[in-house]
Amino acid sequence: MPVILVSSDSQEFKVDKEVAERSILIKNMLEDVGESDSPIPLPNVTATVLTKVIEYCEHHRNDPVQVPDETDDPRKRSNDIEEWDMKFMQVDQEMLFEIILAANYLDIKPLLDVGCKTVANIIKGKTPEEIRKAFNIVNDFTPEEEAQIKKENEWAEDR
Amino acid sequence: MMQTLKWKRSNKPLLSSKDKAHGPPSPTLMPSNSSSSSSTSPLHQPVSLSTLSQTTPALAIPEIMLAIAAFLNRQSLTHCALVCKDWNAIFQPLLFRVILAADFDRPDFVHAFQNHTRFATSIEWIQESPTYPPPVPKKSAWHRFFRRRTLSSSSSSSLRPIATMSRKPFEQLEHSLLAGQTPSLETLSVRVQNQDPNLILRLAASTVTTLQISTRGYPARKPRLYMEDILHSYPNLVHLTLEGLFTLGSHLLEERGFDAAQHPYFPAPLPAPPPGPILATAAVTTTTGLTISSPFPSPSPTPQASSSSSTTHTSVVGVKGKAVDRPSSIESLSLRLVDISQDGLLALSALLPQLKSLLIEEFLVPDMMIKTYRWTWSPTFVRSLRTAFPHLQSLRFAFPFENIKEDTIVEILKSFPLLTTVGFRNAHFGERAMETLQEHCKFVECLDVSFGYGDYRFKAALLLFLQTWPRLRELEADGVIFHLDTPIDAGVMRTPWACTKLEKLLCGFYGTESMIFQHLSQFPMLSHLTIAHPSLTISSIDTTLAWMARSTKMEYFWFTQQRNQVLERDTIQWFLKHWPNLKKLHVAGGVNEQKEVVRQWCRDAQRLSVVVETDRY
């Protein structure tokens, strides 16, 4: 049964209910609304991003629902991204973040995880300067401040 | 000593939900925290909207940064902390989330750690014993959460216990707290295993107003903790909670010996200052660290404990006999399993002249031995109690195996007419006590008479009380089962209860589920509800739960489920829909696998913070 999603720029997307329900947000909306054909507005997601998100959900439509890991291990692995997902995430950085934002808003945990893992992989192994370059971030530390932080955190460096 | 960075200071507290203001409204998706009831991330610091939000808005959202940080190792975290100020605010605290004993071998870590602890407002330190073999063998690692906001709710953190009890990290915590001022530290909660609680006094911090010391087990001999020592280390305490198998005493008592009849330690009778305005506010509960109302003067620069405190309380007790160091500002004292004699308690009066709330409780934890208080509760003792602590407004006692006799209860109630909270669990709280309460304690708002030995007549008296006492806000009557199915209960005509402002209720009922919920709908302010009897199925929502659609303040709901009955999804969804403030759902009995299923339903409904519990047994 199809569901109609409307992006922020008023483009309509027809998707199967099962696919749409990979998003918990949409799932709940559908339950509240019940049997109705009215389109679901997604004011925070543009059409290009929504296309990508739907693509992801289509591919993963039959995945079992994840139960979040209860063990609170702060250090998770990021080297276990599926090949399809990896290719899927080969987009420019702006799109990458848009997807993350959309996954966060739509509450699609697996997609959010994949997105975050991808970003984590970009960060890993880079020096701060390289990270700044990668994300186009301005360094607002003075050299003294930077040196100070570096010194403070020296202990963490060798791990 | 490491100079603190100027910009860091200005970035401090006032943590509101400012950080949620930008970005699309979304549920917090914290990968590791979805099942804990309180946010345990050391985070939620304000991240200022800088140029970051223009270039990459995702990076300006702390939740997303945290989600990303979950996949980074420590080295990467340090690099991230150097990228820019916004990133630093997020990543720097994460460096201290997991700490290994070996870390303290590096002096530079110690400096950083000290700086970090120095600005915390609340520190919770839990030393756990291993309960499961860790997946990756680690050296003794400690999990700690340093929160940079005031503790708003008591939380047992969802810390993962790993390996052994090394004292070293504790000593390091101690060093860093003592190395300099801790201008923001207000709440300190420490739990240790098989150690002497006096250890915790070494953390001395004069800014702490709420202190909790818990011990599990103890070393060879049962430790003794002295109130004077506690006050010496924490001169500005307001709330003190002590739990564990140790003895609480006072030097005063030991040096002088003590005779309850003569009480040389009691204050000279002051010209009857009224014990303060009647507080019709919330009863003091024992677990939360309430924020204090008066600001504290900045602590003196000497790191070692004895800073001269200027307390904000004006009445200084003149004491005959041995002079007390300083009048303490402690208002609430909670003792669980802590050994204290009657004389010991009375002797504390000189040290705790402002005491408003007292709780003494024995509780059973699977690995701890049962204790029995051997108090005689003589009328003399009760009178002395009254003289010792004239400001008491809240009294709660719970002794599973030692019963307080009704005469004693009557005596106590008569002696403390200003009580707002009265709790006598497992006691002979009977008809006479009930009547005394109504006659003498006009301000009672919270009552706990659970597991009592009350009979038919007690129940009648309780019912009459409920029908005529509009002030009541909390009632715990576990063991009492009210009839809703007959016009007369215990000889009393059933009429609506007068306590429509009830916020907390624990009791049982006889009647159909429809009757029960209809009855409960009289209390729209209910936030904590426990239905001890009967077991429910809640099968037809329209006739049952629907009655409680207006009880939107509900936060905690506990009921017993019928065995082998599966909770319907509709039921859970009803809860989630109509009770937006629901934090904890406790289902006793029923099918065990259900817990996961119910949790999933909660997650589906984006209510990640609802804690679903079932009984262990």
Side-chain angles (χ1 to χ4, degrees), chain B residues 480-519:
Chain B
V480 178
I481 309 180
F482 296 106
H483 274 278
L484 298 176
D485 49 355
T486 57
I488 297 191
D489 189 359
V492 174
M493 278 289 290
R494 246 187 350 103
T495 60
W497 292 3
C499 44
T500 51
K501 289 193 265 186
L502 211 54
E503 292 166 21
K504 189 171 178 181
L505 177 62
L506 193 174
C507 66
F509 298 103
Y510 288 119
T512 65
E513 288 186 27
S514 173
M515 290 174 187
I516 294 174
F517 285 105
Q518 186 176 356
H519 177 79

Side-chain angles (χ1 to χ4, degrees), chain B residues 185-202:
Chain B
L185 189 62
E186 287 172 9
T187 305
L188 180 60
S189 168
V190 182
R191 183 158 83 202
V192 290
Q193 195 98 15
N194 289 335
Q195 302 219 40
D196 189 324
N198 281 297
L199 186 66
I200 296 157
L201 300 184
R202 288 173 17 197

